[in-house]
Amino acid sequence: MDTEGIRQVAEKLKSSTRVVVLTGAGISQESGVPTFRGADGLWQNFRAEDLATPEAFEKDPVLVWRWYDWRRSLIQPLKPNPGHYALADLEKRIEDFTLVTQNVDGLHKAAGSKHPIEMHGSLWRVRCMQCGTDFENREVPIDIPPRCETCGGLLRPAVVWFGEALDQEILREIYRCLERAETMLVVGTSGAVQPAASFGLVAKKAGAFVVEVNRSKTPQSAFFDVSIQGKAGELLPHLVEHMTQ
Ligand code: APR
């Protein structure tokens, strides 16, 4: 473990009042949630364009719902890991703390993070294609295809698919936080999907000290101030622990 790197980052965090953390699938890997890329990533076995696009849903909502129902059933019994808990703990120690996640698994909330910005939506929310109502739904298995109780319209997973725009208000809030951040952690993301892939660089350009925590090097590692290689579930608790020393 890179103890020197951890100590340096812990010192930075200790003296920061404004911190942003971006997480990706890597933080949930130790909970048993499959990542998207890499040897056992979901996109090795499934084609994103068949399952995670508005066109795929229009063509075959039953197929898309079967895939989401499978993911929901896989994730429902899983628990947050020490990495999620460490970030919930970090939130309590920093005056102005923002957690942005690309994950749709809900594990940050389960770990006690107060207001994670779930920028790609949530597996546990659905939206009516007809009346637009967006609400929580935790049924596993879900009746396929699910229908809106209010208007009978077809429900879709309330997640952001490839080719869809992110909520502009959420994006504005994220950029506001990135511009003000003193320190940023980029945890468990391959940096393959925009706009999240550029958040670390935006914060760095605005003057933040940016730290990557990832099991492997990424194409962005060289651009950050520090890149620590290892498991998020081991490194993040160490980081928070060092802040108290
Ligand atoms: N600890 C730290 N990092 C890890 C761990 C771990 N235990 N396990 C894996 N990683 C790292 C991998 O090295 C990789 O860089 O997590 C990253 C996971 O990358 P992706 O699978 O590409 O996930 P992510 O970056 O979140 O993907 C972005 O792509 O398909 C979409 O919408 C989906 O939100 C997702 C987006």
Side-chain angles (χ1 to χ4, degrees):
M1 178 164 320
D2 180 358
T3 317
E4 195 35 54
I6 289 185
R7 197 166 292 140
Q8 185 191 5
V9 176
E11 285 306 317
K12 272 281 171 199
L13 285 170
K14 255 161 108 169
S15 62
S16 300
T17 46
R18 294 184 301 279
V19 172
V20 177
V21 179
L22 170 69
T23 63
I27 194 163
S28 294
Q29 183 267 334
E30 289 156 82
S31 290
V33 181
T35 60
F36 292 94
R37 296 167 187 83
D40 13 281
L42 286 177
W43 297 146
Q44 291 294 320
N45 301 313
F46 301 97
R47 279 158 42 101
E49 55 273 37
D50 290 341
L51 298 163
T53 63
E55 293 76 21
F57 190 71
E58 201 173 316
K59 188 171 143 212
D60 195 343
V62 169
L63 173 75
V64 173
W65 260 118
R66 281 205 190 115
W67 193 64
Y68 278 91
D69 191 42
W70 170 75
R71 284 177 67 198
R72 283 159 60 111
S73 65
L74 189 80
I75 290 169
Q76 193 187 46
L78 303 182
K79 302 274 180 273
N81 66 61
H84 296 106
Y85 288 116
L87 292 181
D89 193 0
L90 185 61
E91 178 172 32
K92 295 185 197 138
R93 297 165 190 272
I94 306 284
E95 203 177 298
D96 183 340
F97 179 88
T98 309
L99 174 58
V100 181
T101 187
Q102 299 166 85
N103 300 344
V104 292
D105 55 35
L107 290 177
H108 283 301
K109 281 185 185 161
S113 283
K114 293 278 175 278
H115 307 291
I117 300 178
E118 294 175 317
M119 61 177 288
H120 289 169
S122 169
L123 278 181
W124 308 111
R125 297 192 72 80
V126 292
R127 187 165 71 243
C128 179
M129 301 287 288
Q130 200 162 284
C131 69
T133 316
D134 179 315
F135 55 94
E136 187 175 272
N137 177 303
R138 290 186 174 268
E139 280 163 51
V140 174
I142 194 166
D143 274 341
I144 294 176
R147 294 270 164 197
C148 177
E149 281 177 19
T150 314
C151 74
L154 179 63
L155 294 174
R156 60 163 279 177
V159 298
V160 181
W161 282 325
F162 288 104
E164 290 188 311
L166 293 171
D167 184 301
Q168 288 307 299
E169 207 171 301
I170 288 180
L171 260 189
R172 266 196 299 276
E173 187 188 345
I174 294 172
Y175 282 112
R176 243 192 332 266
C177 296
L178 294 172
E179 301 282 344
R180 292 157 31 87
E182 290 161 86
T183 303
M184 176 173 182
L185 307 182
V186 178
V187 182
T189 178
S190 60
V193 174
Q194 293 292 356
S198 58
F199 288 170
L201 303 177
V202 169
K204 183 155 171 56
K205 212 166 156 205
F209 183 82
V210 183
V211 179
E212 178 179 61
V213 175
N214 198 301
R215 204 171 56 178
S216 322
K217 284 236 175 244
T218 73
Q220 298 191 327
S221 302
F223 298 104
F224 297 135
D225 294 288
V226 177
S227 175
I228 308 179
Q229 262 86 66
K231 291 181 172 182
E234 293 170 7
L235 292 174
L236 294 176
H238 277 296
L239 204 53
V240 177
E241 203 179 294
H242 271 78
M243 287 175 73
T244 59
Q245 287 168 4

